[in-house]
Each structure stands twice: as C-alpha cells, then as structure tokens.
Amino acid sequence: MNVTKGNRKKQSGHVIGRWSLFLSLFLCLFQVFISFPIAVWTRNKFNFEAPLTHSYSVLIIIMILITAASIFVAFVLPKSLKEKLAPLLVAAVLMLFIQQNFLSWDYGILDGQTLDFSQNNGLGVFDLLLWLTAALASVFAAKRLRSWAGNILIGVGAITFIMAGINIANYGEANSTYSIDERDKFNFSKTKNVLLFLFDAYQMDVFRELADSHPELMEPLEGFTLYENNSATFAKTYPTIPLFLTGKVYRKEEPVLDFFQTAYKGSLLQSLQKEGWDVGLYHNVDAYSSLVNAVPAHPDIMDNIISGTPSRAKIDTYLQALDLSFFRAAPHQLKSIVFNKGNFVARRDKPKKVLEKLTGEPQSAQPFKYDYKEKHDALGFKSLMKEHAKPSMDDPVFRFYHFSLPHGPVLLDENFNSVRLENNFENSRLYSIAALKLMGDYIAQLKDIGVYDEASILIVSDHGMAATNGEQYNGVTKRYETLKKFGYTRASARSLLLVKNPGETGPLKRSQAPTSGVDVAPTLAAAAGIEGLEFEGVDIHSLSEDMPRTREYMYYTFTSWDSKYLNDFRVFEIDGDVRSLTSWNDKGYLKDPIPFENRDRYTIGETLSYGSEVKSETDFLNAFTDVKKVTMNDNFILAENGALDFNIKLTRPPKAGETLLLQFKFWSGPKITRQITINGEKFTTEIKPKKRGLTRGFIIPPHIHKSAPNFDISFESLTPDAPEPL
C-alpha cells in the first residue's frame, strides 16, 4: 500500500496526538490521585494509621485505574471529541500543578470544625482568574496551547514524578506495625472490671446544668460521685490520653512523639498485663486518626492487637489523603463543595468497598472490626454493646473507650437525629444531652449483663468545650455566666469526672474535692489493686473537700499534628475552687527546651526570615507577641484605639520576581472595616461581628515590596468609634 508524505505526517500526528492526550489525562489524574496523596502521607508520617511503605498495593491499584482511564480516553473516544478535549487537559495539567503547589490559602485547621471560606474570598479571585484564563486559552488559543503542550507536559510531568520520588525516598521504612482488633471489645470479666469512658470535650458546667434542668438524666448514674471541682491538666486531647493511661505529664522536655513512646514504659498498663489483666484500649482513631500516636499500638501495653497493617487501614488512610488532595486541587470557589461541611467526598463506604475488592487481600489476615449501620460511632457502640456485651472472661478486664462527642462538629441532636449543626454553645449543649443519654444507655447494658454493680467505672472528659463556650454555670442562679478574664481558657479546664466504686448504690452524689486530670491513672491503679507505681496525682478517694491543693493546668492552642513539641503551654496554678478567678495564678509560658533561631512566633522588632530560610520543624503560627502601648490576650495584639504602626525587617530583600503573602489574625466585637497600609499601598478588609481569630491574607507583589529590606505597616479603623481592637 502506498503512503504519501502528507499521509505519513497526518498518521504520525494522529499517533502523537493520541499519546499527548493520554499523557495529559494521566498527569491530571496522577497529580490528584497519586502525587499529592503521597505528599500528604509523607508529611504526616506519624499521624496516619497505615504507613505508606505498607500501602503500595493500594497505590498500584490506583495507578492501574488511572492508566486504564487515560488509555480509554486517548485511544477509544471519537476523534472529534478528543480534539476538543486535548487543549482542555493540557490547561488542566498546568492549573492543577499551580493550584496544589502555589495557591494554598489558609482555611484554618481541618479538625472537623466548620471552616469560614469567606475570609479568603479576596485571595480566591486569583484562583478564579487563573482558571478562567486557562479555560479561555484552551478554547480560543487551542492551536497555541497545542504547540506548548510538549513543554508543559514534560515540565510538569518531570517535576511531579521527581517530587513524588523524593517524598517516598524521604519517608523511610516503617517499623513493624500492629493493628487494633475488636473481637473482645464487649467482652467483660466475670469477676473484676475497671472501665474508663472518655467523652471528648464534655464540659463540667453543662453537666451540672443538665443535672438541675433534667434530673431524669441522672437516674442511670446510681452509685456515681460527681467531682464538681475537677480541673483538666491540658486543653487538648493529644497529651491527655497518655496522661489518663499512664499518669505521666508532658512538660515539653522532649519531642511529644518521643514522650508518647517512653510514657508507657513501666506504666499502669504494663503492670495490669503483668498481673494477668486483659487490657483493651479502644481510642477513637476513626474519628481522630492522629490519636494513633497517643497510644502506641504494641503488645506490651494492650491485648487487643494483631501484627500487620490491615487493608482497611491502608484504604482508609489513602482516602483521607485523597480528600486533602481534592481540597488542595480545587479552586477557592469549589473548596466548600469539596469540604462538604466536613464530610468530604472520598472517605465513604462505597469507595472503601470497591478498593477492598480490588486489593484482594485475604480477610483472614485482617484484624476483626465490628461494623454498624448507625451514622455515628457512639450510636454504633450502643447497638453493638446491646448485641454483643457479655461477661465471658475469667481474667480481670480493663477497658478504655473514647467517644467523639460532644466534641465538635455537632452531629447529633438531643434525640439522636443525625444532623450537622453550627458549632456553637447551644448546639454543643444539645450534643451534650445526647452524650449524657448514651452514658445512661451504656450503663443500662452493663446492668443487664450483671457487670455494673461490682465494676469500677470512671466517666471522664479531657477538657471543656473551649472553642464554643466561654461560659460557666452558676448553681445558685441556675444560669450561665460569661467568663471575662481567661474566659475560654477557664472553660476548657472544666473537665468532667464521674467515679463509681464496686458496690456503690444510691442516687448521684456530689463532691467538692480538688481533683485533677493527673488523678485518673492513680485512681484506676487503686481500683485494680496495682501498687508500687509513682504518680504525680493521687487516688481521688484520698482527697477531702477541705484539703488545700495546688493543681496545674496547661493551656495551648492547636497548630498541627506535626508540631514537634506542641505549641507553647500557658501554665496556670489553681489554688482553691477551679470556678473562682481568684484561684487562678498565671505562671507564664512553658516553652521548648531547644531554642529556634527563626521562630514563627514573631516579635515586633525582630528580623523576619521567610521562604526556604524558615525552619521546617517550627511549632508556631505567625502571631505577634510584643508591642508598645497594647495589652496582651494570648497571642493577639489588642490595640485600644484600633491603630498600630510597626516595621518588619527581613533577613534578605525579596527578589524581583517574588510575591509574598502576609497573614494577620483579627479579632473584632462589632462589624468593622480595617485599613492596612504596606509600604504606602492601602488595602481594606471588613471584619464580621464578634469574629475571633479571623485570618486575612495580603498579597505583596513586586511593585509593592520593590525589593525593599523591610515593610512599613500600619493599621487603622475606618469605622468611627470602633471599640474593639486589631
């Protein structure tokens, strides 16, 4: 058959077009489904249940799927459709790379709370303009885009694969892992049981108010004593769980992950095992995956594990990383849809089941895990406990159960209806009612199987609501009162402590003994008859109501799960009633033992490092801590007249091609308008009423910074007589 030169060119171009189309779609999918999930996985190495090096089977399956999809589109779709699709995909390759790697705005912490997307509407304009430009170019400049396609695909592809390779190489090899096994989750001892129930963020004030307003909810708690003068030790869950299980207090003398590893050595849990107890720890890693670090899964401290990484954990971890990849890849205008009020899109039952079938790992090698139909873990626990609870074990039993309520987000109303409500005090109170009803249901199940009467039971919380509640309940007036000084700090210290001893009966009793989070472990040890361990706290039964005692409370703000030492602790000593401000003594900040030359916590007058010069292991947000003529509130400036002038010195002048981003947090009472002036350039921003910690970002392009070695910055209010500060 004769082939002319023109025909050869046409056929050759058609073949090249097919492969260009294949590579374009493949790179789009690879960036979203492989490259960025790997980046998330490696950057959060200690916060995911399944190690990356144990999960390559999942990534291989995904690679096969995206390759098959790319081949289908490139070689099966009609030619006319492929010609229209090709420039769109080339533009998408470039935009996904830019969006994921450069257009990363601050949306707050993805901890289940509702995100305020409006604060980045201004910055989101950059996203929109770039995506619209790319879309228009793919339509009106398709020929030009095709001529650039080779360079774009080769450049983006090379960088993407190199980045993925570097991330994998830097990950290292995972240690031998163990996985939680649930087959004995509801098996109790025939003779002796010590049970610890943790209801995350349940505030003592709400419990006391519900005891007054809903006394019927207290009826199941027969034999319990409520310790109303209880103080939390930490403001967050992360260091509190090892505190409850070991009695050891993290004081920033070593990196937090090192502490987690060492705290359990010679601890209560090991002593229980040596004495023949069956130890089952069921910390809620499904709701809070990073808590896997707070209780290192190892046979030396728990019996409910098996060796290996289950396919379920690999798939679940991958889908978590994929959700973050979707969020990062979406332009600002679509992020709220991807976020889906915290439900995201990838981590669902159907994707999990499909991947489980595709991985094909034998189920016999997997740990046992109970499944439930309910939409909330605490409701699932209720139904499973009703079906499976039994006193079948001859050995004494210790169980630790961690529930995600009433910690936000609010996912149940007081009648157990599945909802997703705004994370405010009123809704958190409804969530607390649901939690209290569930406490009663769990107790009823223990009574039904004959375990309750002789069991030692502690029902605790790790801290108060804090983020949604600066209120304190007044038992005399029967009303909530707003705490003015250290309000949210004091509210977060109001943790719950309920204790029932074997043989105790009668209605709920109340005690004013000065108890603390450090007392949980020694109380558990005393209940189990374990002696010879050293604790900072004491068995609560040794405390009298009139005993003088100084308790320590450490408040800190969350930065990220990767913080090496956690954020600075603001230490308070509480002498007397935790509810009285006069009992609170501010002892200042407990900082890291190792000084950082370039701290992210910026002090006015210091020289600011940025870009690659900033230390990668820093544990702090950019927050001002010192300036003249202002008063301090945690990490934020309170400038009484709403005006502020200062200068930021830089370690080096910005380069001519660099665009910098300055971010500030504002705190306002009424609705106000602020003006910021940077090197003579003015910007305005509107702050919503009563907005705490609202982040505003300001783009500093070259024509503004002009490669100057410093920034002259000023703030002023454009709202007359605005009483609230920056």
Side-chain angles (χ1 to χ4, degrees):
M1 179 179 175
N2 242 352
V3 181
T4 66
K5 183 177 180 182
N7 285 335
R8 284 198 302 271
K9 282 187 176 181
K10 188 174 180 180
Q11 287 185 359
S12 175
H14 187 54
V15 172
I16 294 173
R18 285 177 174 175
W19 284 107
S20 295
L21 187 62
F22 164 80
L23 187 57
S24 299
L25 180 56
F26 178 82
L27 283 176
C28 284
L29 298 176
F30 183 83
Q31 287 183 86
V32 176
F33 286 87
I34 300 290
S35 178
F36 198 76
I38 287 175
V40 173
W41 218 320
T42 54
R43 293 169 192 172
N44 297 273
K45 178 177 180 179
F46 302 106
N47 302 325
F48 282 140
E49 186 177 0
L52 174 64
T53 49
H54 290 194
S55 308
Y56 290 139
S57 58
V58 177
L59 293 176
I60 289 171
I61 292 295
I62 299 300
M63 181 71 86
I64 292 172
L65 291 176
I66 67 174
T67 302
S70 301
I71 291 174
F72 176 82
V73 170
F75 293 91
V76 178
L77 288 185
K79 180 182 177 183
S80 59
L81 184 58
K82 288 189 286 188
E83 288 179 350
K84 295 178 181 178
L85 193 59
L88 282 171
L89 287 175
V90 173
V93 167
L94 182 60
M95 280 310 305
L96 284 170
F97 180 78
I98 293 173
Q99 184 73 53
Q100 286 195 329
N101 292 285
F102 301 104
L103 303 182
S104 177
W105 315 128
D106 181 9
Y107 292 91
I109 299 168
L110 290 175
D111 61 353
Q113 310 295 334
T114 301
L115 299 182
D116 181 10
F117 289 93
S118 65
Q119 62 179 305
N120 284 322
N121 283 340
L123 295 172
V125 172
F126 286 90
D127 294 14
L128 182 61
L129 290 176
L130 285 173
W131 279 95
L132 286 176
T133 301
L136 292 173
S138 68
V139 175
F140 298 105
K143 290 183 178 179
R144 179 65 61 87
L145 199 59
R146 285 193 183 97
S147 67
W148 293 343
N151 292 333
I152 292 173
L153 296 179
I154 292 172
V156 171
I159 294 172
T160 301
F161 275 91
I162 289 172
M163 289 172 60
I166 291 173
N167 285 327
I168 291 174
N170 290 337
Y171 185 86
E173 180 58 45
N175 296 326
S176 178
T177 59
Y178 296 89
S179 301
I180 300 295
D181 186 280
E182 295 188 349
R183 68 187 73 246
D184 288 325
K185 188 173 185 177
F186 303 104
N187 287 349
F188 299 97
S189 173
K190 300 173 184 176
T191 56
K192 192 168 187 176
N193 296 278
V194 175
L195 311 177
L196 176 62
F197 293 86
L198 170 57
F199 285 82
D200 208 300
Y202 206 117
Q203 189 159 317
M204 176 70 77
D205 297 289
V206 178
F207 189 93
R208 291 179 65 234
E209 181 263 310
L210 294 177
D212 290 342
S213 60
H214 293 74
E216 72 280 2
L217 297 178
M218 303 296 124
E219 293 177 4
L221 297 172
E222 56 180 316
F224 272 95
T225 298
L226 173 67
Y227 289 86
E228 295 186 333
N229 189 18
N230 184 60
S231 167
T233 301
F234 295 103
K236 302 294 179 185
T237 309
Y238 210 34
T240 301
I241 287 183
L243 171 72
F244 285 166
L245 297 176
T246 70
K248 298 177 183 178
V249 181
Y250 177 58
R251 299 188 186 280
K252 297 171 73 73
E253 296 171 351
E254 57 187 327
V256 65
L257 294 180
D258 292 347
F259 172 79
F260 289 159
Q261 294 294 325
T262 60
Y264 291 91
K265 294 179 180 179
S267 69
L268 168 63
L269 300 178
Q270 289 188 334
S271 296
L272 286 169
Q273 286 188 317
K274 290 177 182 178
E275 294 294 325
W277 287 68
D278 184 88
V279 177
L281 308 179
Y282 302 96
H283 47 304
N284 199 348
V285 294
D286 286 340
Y288 310 110
S289 59
S290 294
L291 291 180
V292 69
N293 299 314
V295 187
H298 198 277
D300 285 351
I301 63 171
M302 64 177 78
D303 295 299
N304 58 311
I305 58 172
I306 66 170
S307 180
T309 303
S311 58
R312 173 199 57 77
K314 300 173 187 177
I315 291 167
D316 203 47
T317 299
Y318 169 74
L319 293 177
Q320 289 179 63
L322 184 59
D323 273 328
L324 295 177
S325 178
F326 287 159
F327 187 84
R328 190 74 172 258
H332 171 77
Q333 289 72 17
L334 298 180
K335 285 193 190 303
S336 60
I337 298 174
V338 175
F339 181 65
N340 191 24
K341 297 181 178 180
N343 293 318
F344 284 99
V345 293
R347 200 181 177 198
R348 303 292 183 88
D349 288 338
K350 288 185 179 179
K352 289 179 185 178
K353 291 178 180 178
V354 169
L355 285 175
E356 283 175 358
K357 291 181 180 179
L358 290 174
T359 53
E361 294 188 30
Q363 290 302 308
S364 59
Q366 308 306 312
F368 178 80
K369 182 177 176 64
Y370 283 107
D371 292 321
Y372 52 85
K373 298 179 181 179
E374 289 77 8
K375 294 184 178 180
H376 195 285
D377 63 310
L379 292 179
F381 187 93
K382 173 186 173 181
S383 62
L384 292 170
M385 190 174 184
K386 184 175 182 179
E387 182 178 358
H388 300 288
K390 56 185 178 181
S392 60
M393 307 191 78
D394 295 321
D395 295 331
V397 161
F398 174 81
R399 294 285 181 265
F400 166 59
Y401 303 111
H402 177 202
F403 303 101
S404 57
L405 77 170
H407 190 290
V410 179
L411 301 177
L412 294 175
D413 64 17
E414 72 273 28
N415 296 314
F416 300 152
N417 295 311
S418 179
V419 295
R420 192 174 187 97
L421 302 177
E422 182 181 351
N423 201 38
N424 57 36
F425 173 65
E426 285 304 317
N427 291 333
S428 294
R429 180 182 174 276
L430 298 180
Y431 209 16
S432 298
I433 294 176
L436 184 52
K437 288 181 178 179
L438 287 168
M439 289 181 203
D441 290 336
Y442 302 157
I443 287 171
Q445 298 295 337
L446 294 173
K447 291 177 179 178
D448 287 346
I449 64 173
V451 165
Y452 182 79
D453 289 343
E454 296 305 316
S456 296
I457 305 175
L458 275 70
I459 299 176
V460 300
S461 69
D462 42 0
H463 51 78
M465 295 176 187
T468 58
N469 177 26
E471 308 287 315
Q472 183 167 279
Y473 180 68
N474 189 319
V476 178
T477 64
K478 309 299 182 186
R479 293 181 178 179
Y480 288 99
E481 300 172 349
T482 300
L483 298 171
K484 295 183 179 180
K485 188 173 183 180
F486 306 135
Y488 286 84
T489 301
R490 289 164 60 195
S492 66
R494 300 284 290 126
S495 58
L496 183 66
L497 178 59
L498 288 157
V499 181
K500 189 200 80 72
N501 300 316
E504 290 280 354
T505 59
L508 178 70
K509 296 183 283 292
R510 302 191 185 200
S511 171
Q512 303 303 319
T515 57
S516 167
V518 296
D519 301 327
V520 170
T523 302
L524 293 170
I530 301 296
E531 299 179 348
L533 297 176
E534 294 184 2
F535 298 106
E536 290 195 34
V538 297
D539 177 7
I540 60 171
H541 301 97
S542 66
L543 297 170
S544 62
E545 293 189 342
D546 58 353
M547 178 181 293
R549 189 185 189 197
T550 299
R551 291 164 287 170
E552 194 174 47
Y553 174 65
M554 285 168 277
Y555 180 85
Y556 71 96
T557 54
F558 184 82
T559 53
S560 74
W561 296 111
D562 291 324
S563 294
K564 191 173 183 179
Y565 285 88
L566 303 183
N567 209 343
D568 288 350
F569 291 171
R570 192 170 188 176
V571 182
F572 294 88
E573 287 183 350
I574 303 170
D575 293 305
D577 194 325
V578 68
R579 292 160 287 194
S580 173
L581 178 60
T582 59
S583 301
W584 283 67
N585 302 303
D586 187 356
K587 307 302 290 185
Y589 283 94
L590 177 63
K591 300 179 180 290
D592 307 341
I594 302 175
F596 293 137
E597 290 185 5
N598 297 320
R599 300 183 72 101
D600 252 358
R601 187 182 295 283
Y602 179 71
T603 300
I604 298 295
E606 288 185 346
T607 301
L608 179 67
S609 293
Y610 61 97
S612 61
E613 298 173 31
V614 177
K615 188 174 178 65
S616 60
E617 293 182 338
T618 186
D619 303 313
F620 305 104
L621 299 172
N622 285 326
F624 300 118
T625 58
D626 183 29
V627 68
K628 295 179 180 179
K629 297 182 181 179
V630 298
T631 56
M632 297 304 302
N633 180 32
D634 292 338
N635 300 330
F636 300 103
I637 291 178
L638 299 184
E640 295 300 335
N641 60 0
L644 184 67
D645 295 281
F646 58 96
N647 178 272
I648 294 180
K649 294 178 291 186
L650 306 176
T651 54
R652 65 169 175 82
K655 297 176 182 178
E658 287 183 330
T659 296
L660 306 184
L661 172 67
L662 288 181
Q663 290 186 324
F664 303 94
K665 285 186 180 291
F666 294 88
W667 180 19
S668 71
K671 182 178 180 180
I672 57 174
T673 301
R674 297 279 176 206
Q675 178 172 281
I676 175 174
T677 303
I678 304 174
N679 288 357
E681 196 80 16
K682 297 182 184 298
F683 306 86
T684 58
T685 183
E686 188 174 81
I687 313 300
K688 295 181 178 180
K690 298 181 180 179
K691 190 67 183 177
R692 300 183 74 254
L694 177 66
T695 299
R696 282 285 189 259
F698 298 89
I699 298 293
I700 314 298
H703 77 274
I704 292 179
H705 66 62
K706 299 176 182 177
S707 297
N710 54 26
F711 290 141
D712 286 314
I713 297 177
S714 67
F715 290 93
E716 60 181 309
S717 172
L718 299 184
T719 304
D721 301 319
E724 289 293 337
L726 165 70

